[in-house]
Amino acid sequence: MATPRSVFDAAELRAHFNDAGINPQFLPSIWKYVLQNPGCELDDIPDLPSAAYPLLRSKFKALTSTVHSVFHSTDGVTTKLLIRLQNGALVEAVIMTYDTRLGKYGGKPRPGGPRSTLCISSQVGCKMGCKFCATGTMGFKSNLTSGEIVEQLVHASRLSNIRNVVFMGMGEPLNNYTALVEAVRVMTGSPFQLSTKKITVSTVGIIHAINKLHSDLPGLNLAVSLHAPVQDIRCQIMPSARAFPLEKLMTALQLYQKNSQQKIFIEYIMLDGVNDEEQHAHQLGKLLETFQVVVNLIPFNPIGSFSQFRTSSEQKVSEFQKILRGTYNIRTTVRKQMGQDISGACGQLVVNQPDKRSHVNTSLLPDIEDLHI
């Protein structure tokens, strides 16, 4: 028998229903039932046409993945899920809880309260090989199916009320393009009902995929892992940059911005002595001054003891931010550190068990997805 697929593999399920003459309008009610009833069997789902049950039984599973373990960081705001896929591989998803009231909007505290962002993986490992990222050390193992991507949201939704999703976990999302698009379409439909404005896809800059993204998923937020203002530094720290030259990437982003009329998030990891000097800030400012962007400066998270990079000092990060803001009028934020003690922070996602370092910070934090753009 073929390996059963997840009921959240929308295209697969829809195709089987169409072939069997079953109306695909039943898909959201199947998903809703599975979401609300952990451990259910597909036979338990009420009110489906009788032909649907043998089809579901023979080809699908309610969930193909399981939560292998859950780690809560000492900061009280980060939870890492280690999820086992049915082929035995493990991927990570990270829930980050924020308090929107800590952000300011128009000089006044923002309304709202605590809510959660889920950082989702799109691949097992990653073939991009960025030298500052732990996932890159795993190499590329496999793409996730759209159902395996959506199941991370199912598992996380049982622990927290997820309002935002960021594709910033393991893998390069645009290298798994078809599954990504299908997963996002499921997440924005019933029963999840996430807004595309609350979903951010991060990429190292896969140009041909960026060129299609707006027409396939209008309204989505695009984040680009730029990490250097010039091509040669980019190639040193991100080997994949050779395939996607900076000049061509910026042309693609210009077109994306023109079509989408949306701001683009620029992610920039601060590596001491590599890309964090004043000249780099000016180069970055000049590169981005014609764009509508939010630059997010990310303090480097060391990956165990073997890391070849050091974290930029707070003073350097602050100077860098001042130049971008003051000289180039570019909106610039500094990413808060969350979940380092459970290896759940940016660039640390590699399948391992967290070490026992403690990192105490119990306040709830505002985050990039809360910026009004």
Side-chain angles (χ1 to χ4, degrees), residues 188-207:
T188 52
S190 175
F192 298 103
Q193 302 287 15
L194 288 176
S195 160
T196 41
K197 293 190 180 74
K198 304 286 185 194
I199 298 177
T200 303
V201 169
S202 172
T203 176
V204 300
I206 313 292
I207 292 169

Side-chain angles (χ1 to χ4, degrees), residues 91-142:
V91 293
E92 301 185 342
V94 180
I95 302 170
M96 298 159 285
T97 306
Y98 302 91
D99 193 332
T100 53
R101 292 165 300 192
L102 295 178
K104 290 268 197 298
Y105 183 56
K108 299 190 177 110
R110 299 268 313 272
R115 54 105 190 115
S116 296
T117 289
L118 176 65
C119 179
I120 277 183
S121 294
S122 53
Q123 296 178 312
V124 181
C126 183
K127 65 175 75 157
M128 296 294 100
C130 298
K131 301 208 171 143
F132 47 80
C133 176
T135 310
T137 64
M138 292 173 66
F140 173 71
K141 306 278 197 291
S142 61

